[in-house]
Amino acid sequence: MPLLASFFLKRLITTIPVLFIVLVGSFLLLEAASGDAVDAYVARSGAMDAEQIAQLRNEWGLDKGPVHRFEAYISALAHGDLGWSTAFERPVTSVIAERLPVTLLLMSIATGSAFFAGSLLGVVAGARPGSWRDRILSTGSLAIYAVPGFWLGLVLIVIFAVDLRWLPIGGIESIASGKTGLARLGDIAVHLVLPVSALAMVYLALYLRLMRDRMAEIWRDPFVKGLEARGLTRRRIVWRHVARNAILPAITMLGWQSAAMLGGSVVVESVFSIPGFGRLAAEAVARRDTPLLLGVLLCSAVTVIIANLLVDLAYGKLDPRVRISR
Amino acid sequence: MKSLNLEARIGATLLVLLTLMALLAPWIAPGDPLAISGEAMLKPFVSEAHLLGTDRLGRDVLAGLVHGTRTTLLVAFFSAATALLVGSVVGTISGFLGGFADTVLMRITEAFQTVPGFLLALATISVTGPSIPTLILAISLGNWTQAARVTRAEVLSLRERDFVAAARTLGMRPMEIAFREILPNAFGPTASLAAISVATAILIEAALSFLGFGDPNRVTWGTMIAEGRTVLRAAPYLSIVPGIALVVTVLSVHLVGRGLSRKERLQS
């Protein structure tokens, strides 16, 4: 499929300037923060005289103008070096590599279930716009859409962990349980139920509304009348034609929603004390660790870019018009 | 008001009440809401002096709630306004000039969309330190992109209209045409984003102060939830009550927004 490949390549090329702008932005934040990498290094290694410090600054290219500093920053990044985390006393890259998988797991389960359940309920509501089912689901989704994830997390903890004692209060797995294999997997799954619900609920409401609103629009399209005239059953029109067309905007949402969800994971992981990537951002700010914070920022930007590329690829495959028109 | 549907009217009424609560806070709940005012951990509806009870230090929950409205509405309103203003200016310039300027501005917009808004706010706060103006700046940084995109799309469709051609023949300068003729006409769809911007700003502010990165000298609903969390087992209501205030506020913003955009759709 060369058309799809060239479409993908074009999209890939447009991400390069975007990534560059993000880099410039994060460099500016680094410059605005008090203290540089050498200060951090000195604070860690203890005694160092002024001459040694000046020499180190020279070596790391920090005593020259901002353009040189930017070059040094970029070249370090190109080597996969995100700097030194002062809070963890380790390279930022290794801290992030340790924390990222948990968050990606949390996010992908939350995205998957929100998308699945949300669009399914959206079809139920959008099958007959204006019906009582639609009214209940639409109003309900609007209410859920107003609930902050971190607060929902606390409420879920109060109900399911404190009162009912059905689920664990936090963490990603039981400490020192010695579980392996399937038992460990089950343990992690039990720990993920509440955080995933807290993170996913808002997006479930979002997909429900997107799907329902788009379906309501499509029902007014003349082609639906044509299908009815051909004698197709209602069920077939709903699923094969109306819902199928309405799913496209929801798929577009998936990519950008990953950005919002990464932001949401910061608070949700703090609520459930999950040692993930999101909580790392909060820890970095609390412990004044700017290199770590910017590492988190850059990695989230890259995650969002990748998510959007994947969505575009899926979209290009699902909707042939995209391949031709761009 | 009359042309709005029931949902939107409920939302508008709630918003008016919340605004009144924010404006009249010093009279409804006099004194410093952060000051200890009685026995600690009083349950709600037990004491007449502390209708909603007190927190673990003995601060009045109702007073905190009332004063918290101020911070929430102040930050939300100004950051949404800043975001809409910046977004519509960027969108107008981008759509009107086209070409290279458009490409550059749209790439910048995309870059801002790529970084999660909450992380951007967090990073900004970590550099500037928390205060009301920096919170407003930090939150609007991640909130203007959608307004830019919507305005740009609208400007692109308006650019070729006759009244723009007429303005050109009249000898108006390009930027004058962009901002005096096109922007006011393109603002309608952008304004319908206002509700979403306000709601997003409220939630980001709440999350920031929940994590302890809000203005430390002000009482906010987010800090109240965080405070209550330390005694979640003994007194869950301390976290739950301010959260309900958040939900009600955001919901009424959404209700009004939905009503307004429906009205606009019916008119066009």
Side-chain angles (χ1 to χ4, degrees), chain A residues 14 18 21 32 142-143 145-146 150-151 154 158 169 209 256 259 263 266 270-271 281-282 285 293 297 300-301 304-305, chain B residues 107-108 110-111 113-114 116 118-119 122-123 126-127 207 210-211 213 225 229 232-233 239-240 243 247 250-251 254-255 258:
Chain A
T14 60
V18 171
I21 295 165
L142 201 67
Y145 200 54
F150 66 92
W151 180 73
L154 286 176
V158 169
I169 200 157
R209 296 181 51 73
W256 292 118
V266 178
S270 299
V271 167
V285 176
L293 180 65
L297 212 70
S300 352
V304 173
I305 286 176
Chain B
R107 290 290 168 272
I108 293 176
E110 215 172 301
Q113 276 184 306
T114 302
F118 184 71
L119 281 182
L122 205 60
S126 84
V127 172
F210 173 73
L211 289 178
F213 303 126
I225 297 175
R229 190 187 164 200
L232 196 63
R233 276 168 198 275
S239 284
I240 291 176
V247 174
V250 176
L251 183 61
H254 279 314
L255 286 176
R258 205 162 72 139

CSV table of all heavy atoms in Angstrom, one decimal, chain A residues 14 18 21 32 142-143 145-146 150-151 154 158 169 209 256 259 263 266 270-271 281-282 285 293 297 300-301 304-305, chain B residues 107-108 110-111 113-114 116 118-119 122-123 126-127 207 210-211 213 225 229 232-233 239-240 243 247 250-251 254-255 258:
chain,number,residue,atom,x,y,z
A,14,THR,N,6.3,16.0,9.3
A,14,THR,CA,5.7,17.2,10.0
A,14,THR,C,6.0,17.2,11.5
A,14,THR,O,5.9,18.2,12.2
A,14,THR,CB,4.2,17.4,9.8
A,14,THR,OG1,3.5,16.2,10.3
A,14,THR,CG2,3.9,17.6,8.3
A,18,VAL,N,7.8,20.1,15.0
A,18,VAL,CA,7.0,20.1,16.3
A,18,VAL,C,7.9,19.7,17.4
A,18,VAL,O,8.0,20.3,18.5
A,18,VAL,CB,5.8,19.2,16.2
A,18,VAL,CG1,5.1,19.0,17.5
A,18,VAL,CG2,4.8,19.7,15.2
A,21,ILE,N,10.4,22.4,18.3
A,21,ILE,CA,9.8,23.5,19.1
A,21,ILE,C,9.7,23.1,20.5
A,21,ILE,O,10.0,23.8,21.5
A,21,ILE,CB,8.5,23.9,18.5
A,21,ILE,CG1,8.7,24.5,17.1
A,21,ILE,CG2,7.8,24.9,19.4
A,21,ILE,CD1,7.4,24.6,16.3
A,32,ALA,N,15.4,29.1,32.5
A,32,ALA,CA,14.7,30.0,33.4
A,32,ALA,C,14.8,29.5,34.9
A,32,ALA,O,14.7,30.2,35.8
A,32,ALA,CB,13.2,30.1,33.0
A,142,LEU,N,-22.6,14.0,30.9
A,142,LEU,CA,-22.2,15.3,31.2
A,142,LEU,C,-21.8,15.5,32.6
A,142,LEU,O,-20.8,16.2,33.0
A,142,LEU,CB,-23.4,16.3,30.9
A,142,LEU,CG,-23.0,17.7,30.6
A,142,LEU,CD1,-22.2,17.9,29.4
A,142,LEU,CD2,-24.3,18.6,30.6
A,143,ALA,N,-22.5,14.8,33.5
A,143,ALA,CA,-22.2,14.8,34.9
A,143,ALA,C,-20.8,14.2,35.2
A,143,ALA,O,-20.0,14.8,35.9
A,143,ALA,CB,-23.3,14.1,35.8
A,145,TYR,N,-18.4,13.9,33.2
A,145,TYR,CA,-17.4,14.7,32.5
A,145,TYR,C,-17.0,15.8,33.4
A,145,TYR,O,-15.9,16.4,33.3
A,145,TYR,CB,-18.0,15.3,31.2
A,145,TYR,CG,-17.0,15.8,30.2
A,145,TYR,CD1,-16.0,14.9,29.8
A,145,TYR,CD2,-17.0,17.0,29.7
A,145,TYR,CE1,-15.0,15.3,29.0
A,145,TYR,CE2,-16.0,17.5,28.9
A,145,TYR,CZ,-15.1,16.6,28.5
A,145,TYR,OH,-14.1,17.0,27.6
A,146,ALA,N,-17.8,16.2,34.4
A,146,ALA,CA,-17.4,17.2,35.4
A,146,ALA,C,-16.6,16.7,36.6
A,146,ALA,O,-16.3,17.5,37.4
A,146,ALA,CB,-18.7,18.0,35.8
A,150,PHE,N,-8.9,12.8,40.2
A,150,PHE,CA,-8.2,12.5,41.5
A,150,PHE,C,-9.2,12.4,42.6
A,150,PHE,O,-9.1,11.6,43.5
A,150,PHE,CB,-7.2,13.6,41.8
A,150,PHE,CG,-7.7,15.0,42.1
A,150,PHE,CD1,-8.0,15.4,43.3
A,150,PHE,CD2,-7.9,15.9,41.0
A,150,PHE,CE1,-8.5,16.7,43.6
A,150,PHE,CE2,-8.3,17.1,41.2
A,150,PHE,CZ,-8.7,17.6,42.5
A,151,TRP,N,-10.3,13.2,42.5
A,151,TRP,CA,-11.3,13.2,43.5
A,151,TRP,C,-12.1,11.9,43.4
A,151,TRP,O,-12.5,11.2,44.4
A,151,TRP,CB,-12.3,14.4,43.4
A,151,TRP,CG,-13.4,14.4,44.4
A,151,TRP,CD1,-13.3,14.7,45.7
A,151,TRP,CD2,-14.7,14.2,44.2
A,151,TRP,NE1,-14.5,14.6,46.3
A,151,TRP,CE2,-15.4,14.3,45.4
A,151,TRP,CE3,-15.5,13.8,43.0
A,151,TRP,CZ2,-16.8,14.1,45.5
A,151,TRP,CZ3,-16.9,13.7,43.1
A,151,TRP,CH2,-17.5,13.8,44.4
A,154,LEU,N,-10.3,9.2,45.1
A,154,LEU,CA,-10.5,9.2,46.6
A,154,LEU,C,-11.8,8.6,47.0
A,154,LEU,O,-11.9,7.8,47.9
A,154,LEU,CB,-10.4,10.7,47.1
A,154,LEU,CG,-9.0,11.2,47.2
A,154,LEU,CD1,-9.0,12.7,47.6
A,154,LEU,CD2,-8.1,10.4,48.1
A,158,VAL,N,-12.6,5.4,49.3
A,158,VAL,CA,-13.4,5.3,50.5
A,158,VAL,C,-14.4,4.2,50.4
A,158,VAL,O,-14.7,3.5,51.3
A,158,VAL,CB,-14.2,6.7,50.6
A,158,VAL,CG1,-15.3,6.6,51.7
A,158,VAL,CG2,-13.2,7.8,51.0
A,169,ILE,N,-5.9,-0.4,48.6
A,169,ILE,CA,-6.1,1.1,48.7
A,169,ILE,C,-5.1,1.8,47.8
A,169,ILE,O,-5.3,2.9,47.4
A,169,ILE,CB,-5.8,1.5,50.2
A,169,ILE,CG1,-6.4,2.8,50.5
A,169,ILE,CG2,-4.3,1.4,50.6
A,169,ILE,CD1,-6.7,3.1,52.0
A,209,ARG,N,-20.2,10.9,24.4
A,209,ARG,CA,-20.7,12.1,23.9
A,209,ARG,C,-20.4,12.3,22.4
A,209,ARG,O,-21.2,12.7,21.6
A,209,ARG,CB,-20.3,13.4,24.7
A,209,ARG,CG,-20.9,13.3,26.1
A,209,ARG,CD,-20.4,14.6,26.8
A,209,ARG,NE,-20.8,15.8,26.1
A,209,ARG,CZ,-22.0,16.2,25.9
A,209,ARG,NH1,-23.0,15.6,26.5
A,209,ARG,NH2,-22.2,17.3,25.2
A,256,TRP,N,-4.9,12.7,20.7
A,256,TRP,CA,-4.8,13.9,21.6
A,256,TRP,C,-5.2,13.6,23.0
A,256,TRP,O,-4.6,14.2,23.9
A,256,TRP,CB,-5.6,15.0,21.0
A,256,TRP,CG,-5.0,15.5,19.7
A,256,TRP,CD1,-5.7,15.5,18.5
A,256,TRP,CD2,-3.7,16.0,19.5
A,256,TRP,NE1,-4.8,16.0,17.6
A,256,TRP,CE2,-3.6,16.3,18.1
A,256,TRP,CE3,-2.6,16.2,20.3
A,256,TRP,CZ2,-2.5,16.8,17.6
A,256,TRP,CZ3,-1.4,16.8,19.7
A,256,TRP,CH2,-1.4,17.0,18.4
A,259,ALA,N,-2.5,12.8,25.5
A,259,ALA,CA,-1.8,13.9,26.2
A,259,ALA,C,-2.5,14.3,27.5
A,259,ALA,O,-1.9,14.4,28.6
A,259,ALA,CB,-1.8,15.2,25.3
A,263,GLY,N,-1.4,13.8,31.6
A,263,GLY,CA,-1.5,14.8,32.6
A,263,GLY,C,-2.4,14.3,33.8
A,263,GLY,O,-2.0,14.5,35.0
A,266,VAL,N,-0.7,12.0,36.5
A,266,VAL,CA,0.1,12.7,37.5
A,266,VAL,C,-0.7,12.6,38.9
A,266,VAL,O,-0.1,12.2,39.9
A,266,VAL,CB,0.5,14.1,37.2
A,266,VAL,CG1,1.3,14.8,38.3
A,266,VAL,CG2,1.2,14.2,35.9
A,270,SER,N,-0.6,9.8,42.1
A,270,SER,CA,-0.3,10.3,43.4
A,270,SER,C,-1.4,9.8,44.4
A,270,SER,O,-1.0,9.4,45.5
A,270,SER,CB,-0.3,11.8,43.4
A,270,SER,OG,0.7,12.3,42.6
A,271,VAL,N,-2.6,9.8,44.0
A,271,VAL,CA,-3.7,9.4,44.9
A,271,VAL,C,-3.5,7.9,45.3
A,271,VAL,O,-3.7,7.5,46.4
A,271,VAL,CB,-5.1,9.6,44.2
A,271,VAL,CG1,-6.2,8.8,44.9
A,271,VAL,CG2,-5.4,11.1,44.1
A,281,ALA,N,6.6,13.4,37.8
A,281,ALA,CA,6.5,14.8,37.5
A,281,ALA,C,6.3,15.6,38.8
A,281,ALA,O,7.0,16.6,39.0
A,281,ALA,CB,5.4,15.1,36.5
A,282,ALA,N,5.3,15.1,39.6
A,282,ALA,CA,5.0,15.8,40.8
A,282,ALA,C,6.2,15.7,41.8
A,282,ALA,O,6.6,16.7,42.4
A,282,ALA,CB,3.8,15.2,41.5
A,285,VAL,N,8.9,18.3,40.7
A,285,VAL,CA,8.6,19.6,41.1
A,285,VAL,C,8.8,19.8,42.6
A,285,VAL,O,9.5,20.8,43.1
A,285,VAL,CB,7.2,20.0,40.7
A,285,VAL,CG1,6.9,21.4,41.2
A,285,VAL,CG2,7.0,20.0,39.2
A,293,LEU,N,12.2,16.9,35.6
A,293,LEU,CA,10.9,17.4,35.2
A,293,LEU,C,10.9,17.6,33.6
A,293,LEU,O,9.9,17.2,33.0
A,293,LEU,CB,10.6,18.7,35.8
A,293,LEU,CG,9.3,19.4,35.5
A,293,LEU,CD1,8.1,18.6,35.9
A,293,LEU,CD2,9.2,20.8,36.0
A,297,LEU,N,8.7,15.8,30.7
A,297,LEU,CA,8.0,16.6,29.7
A,297,LEU,C,8.3,16.2,28.3
A,297,LEU,O,7.4,15.9,27.5
A,297,LEU,CB,8.4,18.1,29.9
A,297,LEU,CG,7.4,19.2,29.6
A,297,LEU,CD1,6.3,19.2,30.6
A,297,LEU,CD2,8.1,20.5,29.5
A,300,SER,N,6.9,12.7,27.6
A,300,SER,CA,5.4,12.7,27.3
A,300,SER,C,5.1,13.3,26.0
A,300,SER,O,4.3,12.7,25.3
A,300,SER,CB,4.6,13.6,28.4
A,300,SER,OG,5.4,14.0,29.4
A,301,ALA,N,5.9,14.3,25.5
A,301,ALA,CA,5.7,14.8,24.2
A,301,ALA,C,5.9,13.7,23.2
A,301,ALA,O,5.1,13.6,22.2
A,301,ALA,CB,6.6,16.0,23.9
A,304,VAL,N,3.1,11.3,23.1
A,304,VAL,CA,1.9,11.8,22.5
A,304,VAL,C,2.1,11.8,21.0
A,304,VAL,O,1.2,11.5,20.2
A,304,VAL,CB,1.6,13.2,23.0
A,304,VAL,CG1,0.5,13.9,22.2
A,304,VAL,CG2,1.2,13.2,24.5
A,305,ILE,N,3.3,12.2,20.5
A,305,ILE,CA,3.6,12.2,19.1
A,305,ILE,C,3.4,10.7,18.5
A,305,ILE,O,2.8,10.5,17.5
A,305,ILE,CB,5.0,12.7,18.8
A,305,ILE,CG1,5.0,14.2,19.0
A,305,ILE,CG2,5.4,12.4,17.4
A,305,ILE,CD1,6.3,14.9,18.8
B,107,ARG,N,2.7,24.9,13.6
B,107,ARG,CA,3.6,23.9,14.2
B,107,ARG,C,3.8,24.3,15.7
B,107,ARG,O,3.9,23.4,16.5
B,107,ARG,CB,5.0,24.0,13.5
B,107,ARG,CG,5.0,23.4,12.1
B,107,ARG,CD,4.8,21.9,12.1
B,107,ARG,NE,4.5,21.4,10.8
B,107,ARG,CZ,3.3,21.3,10.3
B,107,ARG,NH1,2.2,21.6,11.0
B,107,ARG,NH2,3.1,20.9,9.0
B,108,ILE,N,3.9,25.6,16.0
B,108,ILE,CA,4.0,25.9,17.4
B,108,ILE,C,2.7,25.5,18.2
B,108,ILE,O,2.8,24.9,19.3
B,108,ILE,CB,4.2,27.5,17.6
B,108,ILE,CG1,5.5,27.9,17.0
B,108,ILE,CG2,4.1,27.9,19.0
B,108,ILE,CD1,5.8,29.4,17.0
B,110,GLU,N,0.8,23.0,17.5
B,110,GLU,CA,0.9,21.6,17.6
B,110,GLU,C,1.8,21.2,18.7
B,110,GLU,O,1.6,20.2,19.4
B,110,GLU,CB,1.3,21.0,16.2
B,110,GLU,CG,0.6,19.6,15.9
B,110,GLU,CD,1.0,19.2,14.5
B,110,GLU,OE1,0.7,19.9,13.6
B,110,GLU,OE2,1.6,18.1,14.4
B,111,ALA,N,3.0,21.9,18.8
B,111,ALA,CA,4.0,21.6,19.8
B,111,ALA,C,3.3,21.8,21.2
B,111,ALA,O,3.5,20.9,22.1
B,111,ALA,CB,5.2,22.5,19.7
B,113,GLN,N,0.2,21.5,21.9
B,113,GLN,CA,-0.8,20.4,22.1
B,113,GLN,C,-0.1,19.1,22.4
B,113,GLN,O,-0.7,18.2,23.1
B,113,GLN,CB,-1.6,20.2,20.8
B,113,GLN,CG,-2.7,21.1,20.7
B,113,GLN,CD,-3.6,20.8,19.4
B,113,GLN,OE1,-3.0,20.7,18.3
B,113,GLN,NE2,-4.8,20.6,19.6
B,114,THR,N,1.1,18.9,22.0
B,114,THR,CA,1.8,17.7,22.2
B,114,THR,C,2.2,17.5,23.7
B,114,THR,O,2.2,16.4,24.2
B,114,THR,CB,3.1,17.7,21.3
B,114,THR,OG1,2.7,17.8,20.0
B,114,THR,CG2,3.9,16.4,21.5
B,116,PRO,N,1.4,17.6,27.5
B,116,PRO,CA,0.2,17.6,28.3
B,116,PRO,C,0.0,18.9,29.0
B,116,PRO,O,1.0,19.4,29.6
B,116,PRO,CB,0.4,16.4,29.2
B,116,PRO,CG,1.3,15.5,28.5
B,116,PRO,CD,2.2,16.4,27.7
B,118,PHE,N,-1.4,19.7,31.7
B,118,PHE,CA,-1.2,19.7,33.1
B,118,PHE,C,0.3,19.7,33.4
B,118,PHE,O,0.7,20.5,34.3
B,118,PHE,CB,-1.9,18.5,33.7
B,118,PHE,CG,-1.7,18.5,35.2
B,118,PHE,CD1,-2.5,19.4,36.0
B,118,PHE,CD2,-0.9,17.6,35.9
B,118,PHE,CE1,-2.3,19.4,37.4
B,118,PHE,CE2,-0.7,17.6,37.2
B,118,PHE,CZ,-1.5,18.5,38.0
B,119,LEU,N,1.1,19.0,32.7
B,119,LEU,CA,2.5,19.0,32.9
B,119,LEU,C,3.2,20.3,32.6
B,119,LEU,O,4.1,20.8,33.3
B,119,LEU,CB,3.2,17.9,32.0
B,119,LEU,CG,3.1,16.5,32.5
B,119,LEU,CD1,3.8,15.5,31.5
B,119,LEU,CD2,3.7,16.4,33.9
B,122,LEU,N,2.5,22.5,35.4
B,122,LEU,CA,3.3,22.1,36.5
B,122,LEU,C,4.7,22.6,36.3
B,122,LEU,O,5.3,23.2,37.3
B,122,LEU,CB,3.3,20.6,36.6
B,122,LEU,CG,3.7,19.9,37.9
B,122,LEU,CD1,2.6,20.2,38.9
B,122,LEU,CD2,3.7,18.4,37.7
B,123,ALA,N,5.3,22.5,35.1
B,123,ALA,CA,6.6,23.0,34.8
B,123,ALA,C,6.7,24.5,35.0
B,123,ALA,O,7.7,25.0,35.5
B,123,ALA,CB,7.0,22.5,33.4
B,126,SER,N,6.7,25.4,38.5
B,126,SER,CA,8.0,25.1,39.2
B,126,SER,C,9.1,26.1,38.9
B,126,SER,O,10.0,26.3,39.8
B,126,SER,CB,8.5,23.7,38.8
B,126,SER,OG,9.2,23.8,37.6
B,127,VAL,N,9.0,26.8,37.8
B,127,VAL,CA,9.9,27.9,37.5
B,127,VAL,C,9.5,29.2,38.2
B,127,VAL,O,10.4,29.9,38.7
B,127,VAL,CB,10.1,28.1,36.0
B,127,VAL,CG1,10.9,29.3,35.7
B,127,VAL,CG2,10.7,26.8,35.4
B,207,ALA,N,-6.4,20.3,40.5
B,207,ALA,CA,-5.4,19.3,40.6
B,207,ALA,C,-4.0,19.8,41.1
B,207,ALA,O,-3.3,19.2,41.8
B,207,ALA,CB,-5.2,18.6,39.2
B,210,PHE,N,-4.3,20.4,44.7
B,210,PHE,CA,-4.4,19.1,45.4
B,210,PHE,C,-3.0,18.6,45.6
B,210,PHE,O,-2.7,18.0,46.6
B,210,PHE,CB,-5.2,18.2,44.5
B,210,PHE,CG,-5.2,16.7,45.1
B,210,PHE,CD1,-5.9,16.4,46.2
B,210,PHE,CD2,-4.5,15.7,44.4
B,210,PHE,CE1,-5.9,15.1,46.7
B,210,PHE,CE2,-4.5,14.4,44.9
B,210,PHE,CZ,-5.2,14.1,46.1
B,211,LEU,N,-2.1,18.7,44.6
B,211,LEU,CA,-0.7,18.2,44.7
B,211,LEU,C,0.1,19.1,45.6
B,211,LEU,O,1.3,18.8,45.8
B,211,LEU,CB,-0.1,18.1,43.3
B,211,LEU,CG,-0.6,16.9,42.5
B,211,LEU,CD1,0.0,16.9,41.1
B,211,LEU,CD2,-0.5,15.6,43.1
B,213,PHE,N,0.8,22.4,44.8
B,213,PHE,CA,1.5,23.4,44.0
B,213,PHE,C,0.6,24.7,43.7
B,213,PHE,O,0.9,25.4,42.8
B,213,PHE,CB,2.0,22.8,42.7
B,213,PHE,CG,2.8,21.6,42.9
B,213,PHE,CD1,2.5,20.4,42.2
B,213,PHE,CD2,3.9,21.7,43.7
B,213,PHE,CE1,3.3,19.3,42.4
B,213,PHE,CE2,4.7,20.6,43.9
B,213,PHE,CZ,4.4,19.4,43.3
B,225,ILE,N,-9.3,19.2,49.6
B,225,ILE,CA,-9.4,17.7,49.3
B,225,ILE,C,-8.1,17.0,49.8
B,225,ILE,O,-8.1,16.0,50.4
B,225,ILE,CB,-9.6,17.5,47.8
B,225,ILE,CG1,-11.0,18.1,47.4
B,225,ILE,CG2,-9.6,16.0,47.5
B,225,ILE,CD1,-11.3,18.0,45.9
B,229,ARG,N,-7.6,14.3,52.8
B,229,ARG,CA,-7.1,12.9,52.4
B,229,ARG,C,-6.3,12.3,53.6
B,229,ARG,O,-6.2,11.1,53.7
B,229,ARG,CB,-6.2,13.1,51.2
B,229,ARG,CG,-5.8,11.8,50.5
B,229,ARG,CD,-4.8,12.1,49.5
B,229,ARG,NE,-4.2,10.9,49.1
B,229,ARG,CZ,-3.0,10.9,48.5
B,229,ARG,NH1,-2.4,12.0,48.2
B,229,ARG,NH2,-2.5,9.7,48.1
B,232,LEU,N,-8.6,10.4,55.7
B,232,LEU,CA,-9.7,9.8,54.8
B,232,LEU,C,-10.5,8.7,55.5
B,232,LEU,O,-11.7,8.6,55.3
B,232,LEU,CB,-9.0,9.3,53.5
B,232,LEU,CG,-9.9,9.0,52.4
B,232,LEU,CD1,-10.6,10.3,51.9
B,232,LEU,CD2,-9.2,8.3,51.2
B,233,ARG,N,-9.8,7.9,56.3
B,233,ARG,CA,-10.6,6.8,57.0
B,233,ARG,C,-11.5,7.4,58.0
B,233,ARG,O,-12.7,6.9,58.1
B,233,ARG,CB,-9.6,5.9,57.6
B,233,ARG,CG,-9.0,4.9,56.7
B,233,ARG,CD,-7.9,4.1,57.4
B,233,ARG,NE,-7.0,3.5,56.4
B,233,ARG,CZ,-7.3,2.3,55.9
B,233,ARG,NH1,-8.3,1.6,56.3
B,233,ARG,NH2,-6.5,1.7,55.0
B,239,SER,N,-12.8,15.3,52.4
B,239,SER,CA,-12.4,15.3,51.0
B,239,SER,C,-13.6,15.3,50.1
B,239,SER,O,-13.5,15.9,49.0
B,239,SER,CB,-11.6,14.1,50.7
B,239,SER,OG,-10.3,14.2,51.3
B,240,ILE,N,-14.7,14.7,50.5
B,240,ILE,CA,-15.8,14.6,49.5
B,240,ILE,C,-16.5,15.9,49.3
B,240,ILE,O,-16.9,16.2,48.2
B,240,ILE,CB,-16.7,13.4,50.1
B,240,ILE,CG1,-16.0,12.1,49.9
B,240,ILE,CG2,-18.0,13.4,49.3
B,240,ILE,CD1,-16.7,10.9,50.4
B,243,GLY,N,-15.0,18.3,46.9
B,243,GLY,CA,-15.1,17.7,45.6
B,243,GLY,C,-16.4,17.9,44.9
B,243,GLY,O,-16.6,18.2,43.7
B,247,VAL,N,-17.5,19.5,41.4
B,247,VAL,CA,-18.3,18.9,40.3
B,247,VAL,C,-19.5,19.8,40.0
B,247,VAL,O,-19.8,20.0,38.8
B,247,VAL,CB,-18.8,17.5,40.8
B,247,VAL,CG1,-19.8,16.9,39.9
B,247,VAL,CG2,-17.7,16.6,41.1
B,250,VAL,N,-18.1,22.8,37.8
B,250,VAL,CA,-17.8,22.4,36.4
B,250,VAL,C,-19.0,22.0,35.7
B,250,VAL,O,-19.2,22.4,34.5
B,250,VAL,CB,-16.7,21.2,36.5
B,250,VAL,CG1,-16.4,20.8,35.1
B,250,VAL,CG2,-15.5,21.7,37.1
B,251,LEU,N,-19.9,21.3,36.3
B,251,LEU,CA,-21.1,20.8,35.6
B,251,LEU,C,-22.0,22.0,35.2
B,251,LEU,O,-22.5,22.1,34.1
B,251,LEU,CB,-22.0,19.9,36.6
B,251,LEU,CG,-23.2,19.3,35.9
B,251,LEU,CD1,-22.9,18.5,34.7
B,251,LEU,CD2,-24.0,18.5,37.0
B,254,HIS,N,-20.5,23.5,32.1
B,254,HIS,CA,-20.8,22.7,31.0
B,254,HIS,C,-22.3,22.9,30.5
B,254,HIS,O,-22.5,22.9,29.3
B,254,HIS,CB,-20.6,21.2,31.3
B,254,HIS,CG,-19.1,20.8,31.1
B,254,HIS,ND1,-18.4,21.2,30.1
B,254,HIS,CD2,-18.3,20.1,31.9
B,254,HIS,CE1,-17.1,20.7,30.2
B,254,HIS,NE2,-17.1,20.0,31.4
B,255,LEU,N,-23.2,22.9,31.5
B,255,LEU,CA,-24.6,23.1,31.1
B,255,LEU,C,-24.8,24.4,30.4
B,255,LEU,O,-25.5,24.4,29.3
B,255,LEU,CB,-25.5,23.0,32.4
B,255,LEU,CG,-25.6,21.7,33.0
B,255,LEU,CD1,-26.4,21.8,34.3
B,255,LEU,CD2,-26.4,20.7,32.1
B,258,ARG,N,-23.2,24.2,26.9
B,258,ARG,CA,-24.0,23.3,25.9
B,258,ARG,C,-25.2,24.1,25.5
B,258,ARG,O,-25.6,24.1,24.3
B,258,ARG,CB,-24.4,22.0,26.6
B,258,ARG,CG,-24.6,20.9,25.6
B,258,ARG,CD,-24.6,19.6,26.2
B,258,ARG,NE,-25.8,19.4,27.1
B,258,ARG,CZ,-26.4,18.2,27.1
B,258,ARG,NH1,-26.0,17.2,26.3
B,258,ARG,NH2,-27.4,18.0,27.9
